[in-house]
Amino acid sequence: MNWQALLHEIEMMDPYKRFGKVTRVIGLMIESKGPESSIGDLCYIHIGNKKKQKIQAEVVGFRDEYVLLMPYSTIQDISPGCIVEATGKPLEVKVGTALIGRVIDALGEPLDNQPLPKGLTSVPIDQAPPNPMTRPPITEPIEVGVKIIDSLLTVGKGQRVGIFAGSGVGKSTLMGMIARNTNADLNVIALIGERGREVREFIERDLGEKGLQRSIVVVATSDQPALMRIKGAYTATAIAEYFRNKGLNVMLMMDSVTRVAMAQREVGLAIGEPPTTKGYTPSVFALLPKLLERTGTNEFGTITAFYTVLVDGDDMNEPIADTVRGILDGHLVLERALANKGQYPAINVLKSVSRVMNHIVTKEHRAAAEKLRELLSTYINSEDLINIGAYKRGSSREIDEAIRYYPKIISFLKQDIHEHYSIDESIQLLFQLIQQG
C-alpha cells in the first residue's frame, strides 16, 4: 500500500459538512441561505424530518448572499426551512465495460430495474475539451454502414457531424442504421428530450438487439427537469470520453442537441439571464462549443460524433442550427421533399458536406464522388424543364448525360433500413455507377 498517497488523501479531506436552509422556491429555482459552495456543485436537499429522503440539486448561480439551486427531480415536497447539504464536488457517474448493453438516466442510474454492475469507475460528467495540440489529425475513415455517407460524405475517425432535419424526416431511423452497421468499437447514444413513448420504440425497432449489445443508451425524456436534459448530454459525453481514454474508437450519437440548448435556455431564463437571439440566453451559445469540442480525437483514441439538430420549419439558418454548423466538421441535411418521394435516407447530397473527406479518401474516390455530385446538380437545375417537356434531347451534352445517369443515381442513394454495406462495397458501387453510366 502507498502510505504517502494515503496520508496525502487524509490531509486533503475536509472533515466539515456545510449546510444551508431553503428560503423560497420560484418556478424552477430553489433559493437557499447557504451552504458554502461553488457553481456546478451537487447538493442534497433533505425533505422534512426523514433524513433518508433527499433531493439532488445543483448550484447554478448566486443572488446576493443566497445560493440558487436547480433540482434533478420534482420539487413538490420542498418547503421553507429544508436543510441543504453541500457535497463540495460536481456530479459524477459510474462507468465501465460492464455498462455496455444497459439503458441509464442522466444521473447514471439504470432504467431497466436492474442494479448497476460492480467494478465501475466514478468520473465527473463536466470535463474540459482536450488540448488542441494533443489532438492527432483525422487520417482514416470510419465505416458507418450507410452507402450514401460512406461513399459521398465519408466520415473520419474522430470527426463530428451534424444531422440537420425537421421533425419526422428519419433522424432516429438513420441513427439506428449507423449504430447497427458501424465498425466502431462502441456506441454511446444520448436520447435528450425525447417523448417517453419513443425511447423504447427506438431501442427495440431502430437500434435492435444487435445494436444494443454494443451500445450504452443515456435517456433524459422531455418531462424531466431542464437540468436533467442538460446532464444527459454531459453524462453521455463523459462516458464516451472514458472509453476514448482506454484507446477505443467510440461512436457518440446525440438526439438532439437542439433540446439541450432549449433546456439551457430554461435554466438561463430562470436565473435571470437576458434573452437574446430568438429567446436563447448567452449561456446557450457558451455551452454548445464547450460540449461539442469535448468529442473528437485525443492521444489515446477517438470519438466520432453525430449530433441531430431540429430545424424549426426546416429553416437551416435558425440560431442553434447556424451555431452548431459552425462548430462541427460537417453536416448531413435531411430534406422532407426527398422523404415525401420515398428516398430514404432522405439526405440531400448537394447540401451536405464532410469537411475531412478530401484528406482521408483516395484521389479516384474523390473524383468519382465529385462526378456524381456534378451529374445530380445538373439534373436538379434542369428538372423543371425536363418534367414539362421543354428540354429537347441533344441541346446540352451535360444534361443528356445527367438524364441518363439520374435513375441509377437515385437507386444508388436509396438504402433499406435493414441493408448493410461495408465502406469498401459502397465505394465499389460508386465506381461501378460512374464507369457504367
Side-chain angles (χ1 to χ4, degrees), residues 19-24 29-35 37 43 45 59 62-63 65-69 82-84:
F19 296 95
K21 277 189 176 182
V22 172
T23 55
R24 62 176 177 170
M29 193 65 55
I30 301 164
E31 199 173 273
S32 74
K33 183 86 172 192
S37 54
C43 292
I45 301 173
V59 178
F62 306 99
R63 184 177 293 136
E65 71 271 29
Y66 294 98
V67 177
L68 303 180
L69 301 149
C82 283
I83 299 297
V84 181

Side-chain angles (χ1 to χ4, degrees), residues 30 40-43 55-59 70-75 90-92 106-107 125 224-229 231:
I30 301 164
D41 279 1
L42 176 67
C43 292
I55 289 174
Q56 290 179 308
E58 183 176 306
V59 178
M70 289 199 79
Y72 292 143
S73 56
T74 55
I75 58 174
L91 180 67
E92 295 183 342
L107 306 180
I125 66 169
Q224 293 181 312
L227 208 57
M228 282 286 274
R229 284 173 266 147
K231 295 304 167 190

